[in-house]
Amino acid sequence: MPLINVQLFEGRTLEQKRAYAKALTDASVQVLGCSPEAVDVIFHDVKKSDWASGGKLWSDPE
């Protein structure tokens, strides 16, 4: 507890993911009172062609 699933457009660096995982872990520890070892973060990299908002793919031109 907890397991945090993060979906992002592909292209983030390992350093960005490390920093985000640390920030999410720190926030979980502060708010939930759990240990850092209890926090799992899973990143799902998604292509813009596989993500749509408002019926439009993010890969489509403006």
Side-chain angles (χ1 to χ4, degrees):
M1 113 173 232
L3 170 61
I4 302 169
N5 284 288
V6 178
Q7 295 179 340
L8 299 164
F9 287 139
E10 62 185 355
R12 300 309 197 292
T13 66
L14 287 177
E15 285 304 314
Q16 288 174 313
K17 289 180 181 181
R18 281 187 188 102
Y20 196 33
K22 173 100 170 66
L24 291 170
T25 299
D26 291 347
S28 297
V29 168
Q30 181 180 1
V31 173
L32 301 176
C34 59
S35 70
E37 295 76 24
V39 181
D40 291 314
V41 179
I42 299 175
F43 291 102
H44 301 273
D45 290 337
V46 180
K47 294 180 183 180
K48 288 187 176 185
S49 61
D50 292 332
W51 193 315
S53 293
K56 183 177 177 187
L57 292 174
W58 279 90
S59 60
D60 290 343
E62 293 288 323

